[in-house]
Amino acid sequence: MIVNINKQQRNYRPKMGVALSGGGLRGTSHIGVLKALTDHNIPIDYISGTSAGAIVATMYACGYSPQQMQAIIQNIDIHDLIDLKVTTADLFKHGFKWLLSGKFRFWSVLPTGLIKGEKIEFFLSDFWHQKTVRDTKIPLAITAVDINSADTVFFTSPLPPNRAILNARYYHNTLLSEAVRASISIPGIFFPKKYRGMTLVDGAVKNNLPTDILVHMGAEKVIAVDLGYAGQPNYEISTVGEILMQCIEIMGREVTLIKSEQYADVIIRPQAYDLNYKDLKHASEFIRRGYHAALEKINEIKELLLS
């Protein structure tokens, strides 16, 4: 294959992989990163994602352009995708049950999540229909974690024989909507996804920036987009959900740093923590910041194609 890099022809280039981290609504920044890579003709041969990154990675792997994704985001009403399992009346009921029993801690009588997740899974299935991870236009990997066994679960295109990731399982025929639903299952917020006897939660619990799987899929150079916690103070934590989210991000920080240094050749870190990450109205600004963060690294990325 002949490729043009900085107007010079080369007969070979390394296979490129892109890993997209979790990050809640900040995950819309990934759209801006992909737009910058597309604008500068950076090829993407493999893509992986966790949680919010899994949604964007799957859309891209199925052929949706960054512009199409941005248009979809602008027409989403997030409230239409939330199917609360626990109401105020439920909380009173569970609390009353706890007081009467005297045998359980309050947490033991609560359900396993606040949001069922059925609406968002149905919404995503409209884009991917009955496609499985085998059916994407470019090879894809989505991460989740089985809380029963502590194994990392990779929903991925078929891999070469040399799998070397410890404590991991691989599934190749899973519906994309099911795989992504598992990957976004933030503990305590979403009901875990039941799949083949497993109880699956957000991949960020163990692998928020899935660079390692890209290497095992065949990527020779890896670009990582890290939206995870970077140690900045957060004084606006006031709810159980926000506490859980912050705990997951703190726990994942060290693992992300170790893995990204080991497997990633270029790391893009869009700065978006000063924005309101609870409102999709800020999606355009998240996308813009992702775009400019990628531009700052674009020369480094082009050098990867020459190495």
Side-chain angles (χ1 to χ4, degrees):
M1 171 182 283
I2 298 176
V3 295
N4 288 310
I5 302 171
N6 294 331
K7 297 182 179 180
Q8 296 180 353
Q9 288 191 341
R10 284 173 56 89
N11 292 323
Y12 170 80
R13 65 165 179 82
K15 297 291 185 181
M16 302 291 289
V18 174
L20 307 180
S21 79
L25 294 183
R26 296 191 306 274
T28 51
S29 300
H30 292 312
I31 298 173
V33 172
L34 292 176
K35 185 177 187 302
L37 297 180
T38 301
D39 286 351
H40 286 265
N41 300 311
I42 304 301
I44 299 175
D45 301 292
Y46 306 91
I47 193 165
S48 65
T50 294
S51 200
I55 298 175
V56 177
T58 303
M59 294 293 282
Y60 189 84
C62 287
Y64 287 88
S65 69
Q67 290 84 353
Q68 287 174 314
M69 285 187 259
Q70 185 167 2
I72 291 168
I73 288 290
Q74 291 171 344
N75 291 308
I76 290 177
D77 184 344
I78 198 71
H79 299 291
D80 292 339
L81 304 181
I82 303 300
D83 42 5
L84 284 175
K85 175 65 176 178
V86 179
T87 64
T88 303
D90 291 327
L91 291 175
F92 277 112
K93 179 183 72 176
H94 290 303
F96 191 62
K97 179 180 177 181
W98 167 63
L99 287 171
L100 288 180
S101 68
K103 296 179 181 179
F104 304 99
R105 296 176 182 175
F106 178 60
W107 291 108
S108 68
V109 298
L110 288 176
T112 55
L114 303 178
I115 300 171
K116 288 185 285 186
E118 293 172 1
K119 284 186 176 181
I120 192 167
E121 185 172 339
F122 182 76
F123 173 77
L124 293 172
S125 68
D126 279 346
F127 297 104
W128 307 322
H129 304 291
Q130 294 298 304
K131 286 184 178 179
T132 72
V133 287
R134 283 182 178 269
D135 301 324
T136 54
K137 293 185 176 181
I138 63 173
L140 168 72
I142 297 167
T143 65
V145 174
D146 178 16
I147 59 173
N148 296 324
S149 66
D151 285 346
T152 302
V153 174
F154 290 108
F155 300 104
T156 178
S157 307
L159 295 172
N162 55 331
R163 299 173 180 169
I165 299 176
L166 296 176
N167 302 316
R169 304 182 203 173
Y170 304 86
Y171 296 90
H172 311 303
N173 296 307
T174 309
L175 289 175
L176 292 171
S177 55
E178 288 189 298
V180 172
R181 166 65 179 85
S183 189
I184 66 171
S185 299
I186 303 166
I189 306 299
F190 281 89
F191 269 51
K193 174 69 178 178
K194 296 291 186 178
Y195 183 76
R196 297 193 180 185
M198 298 179 290
T199 303
L200 302 178
V201 297
D202 193 328
V205 170
K206 283 187 67 179
N207 197 344
N208 192 44
L209 188 58
T211 51
D212 49 355
I213 186 65
L214 291 173
V215 174
H216 294 291
M217 291 168 73
E220 296 166 292
K221 300 293 180 182
V222 173
I223 302 166
V225 187
D226 183 10
L227 298 176
Y229 181 61
Q232 62 276 3
N234 186 348
Y235 300 109
E236 298 182 1
I237 298 173
S238 58
T239 67
V240 171
E242 289 169 349
I243 291 171
L244 286 170
M245 287 288 290
Q246 184 74 351
C247 287
I248 291 170
E249 293 208 48
I250 291 171
M251 288 187 292
R253 182 187 179 198
E254 295 301 321
V255 175
T256 296
L257 289 174
I258 292 170
K259 285 191 175 183
S260 62
E261 288 181 2
Q262 182 177 356
Y263 292 100
D265 297 282
V266 173
I267 304 173
I268 300 169
R269 292 191 171 97
Q271 299 303 308
Y273 265 87
D274 59 310
L275 299 177
N276 183 346
Y277 59 89
K278 304 173 188 176
D279 192 340
L280 265 181
K281 292 179 181 178
H282 294 90
S284 293
E285 180 60 17
F286 282 122
I287 292 170
R288 189 188 72 81
R289 294 199 185 185
Y291 186 87
H292 287 286
L295 288 185
E296 291 176 1
K297 297 282 188 173
I298 207 69
N299 288 333
E300 287 183 51
I301 293 169
K302 287 181 177 179
E303 287 295 322
L304 294 180
L305 294 170
L306 297 170
S307 60

